[in-house]
Amino acid sequence: MGFISNFFRSSESSKDIAKNRLKVAITSDRAVCSPELMEQMKNDIIDVISKYVDIDREGLDIKVTKTELDDESGVVNAVLANIPIKGTRNFRK
């Protein structure tokens, strides 16, 4: 019986799965776009930055949050990116 229950058990707990789903829902709600669009935007940002510098893909964090620009603009959505840079790329013109 132990083999069968271990076979169907996920490596993630249901708490972790629920937490990740909530993060995706909150992020897409803040950005007013779908999770698929958020993922594509994240991949595009990574691709562009990777052309110029070597980055740590495992350590990066890209999210959408609300921020206040000034008194007249009010609160707007902002993309925040924390992308660890390992080094620069050598370019020849």
Side-chain angles (χ1 to χ4, degrees):
M1 189 71 177
F3 171 75
I4 293 174
S5 64
N6 285 338
F7 181 76
F8 289 106
R9 184 173 292 154
S10 173
S11 61
E12 281 188 294
S13 70
S14 59
K15 178 181 103 177
D16 292 334
I17 293 170
K19 184 176 172 182
N20 288 336
R21 287 180 181 166
L22 182 59
K23 282 182 183 179
V24 170
I26 290 171
T27 301
S28 62
D29 183 49
R30 286 182 181 166
V32 191
C33 63
S34 70
E36 293 83 15
L37 183 59
M38 282 295 302
E39 189 64 26
Q40 183 60 47
M41 183 171 57
K42 177 180 171 181
N43 290 335
D44 288 348
I45 290 169
I46 291 168
D47 289 344
V48 169
I49 292 173
S50 293
K51 289 180 183 179
Y52 302 99
V53 292
D54 222 2
I55 64 171
D56 176 10
R57 290 177 181 258
E58 298 299 319
L60 65 86
D61 180 31
I62 299 175
K63 59 186 170 186
V64 176
T65 187
K66 294 194 181 289
T67 188
E68 191 168 336
L69 292 178
D70 55 36
D71 292 337
E72 293 176 19
S73 299
V75 177
V76 296
N77 289 324
V79 176
L80 299 177
N82 182 8
I83 305 171
I85 298 173
K86 292 180 181 178
T88 59
R89 299 213 184 267
N90 293 326
F91 284 103
R92 293 183 186 174
K93 289 187 178 187

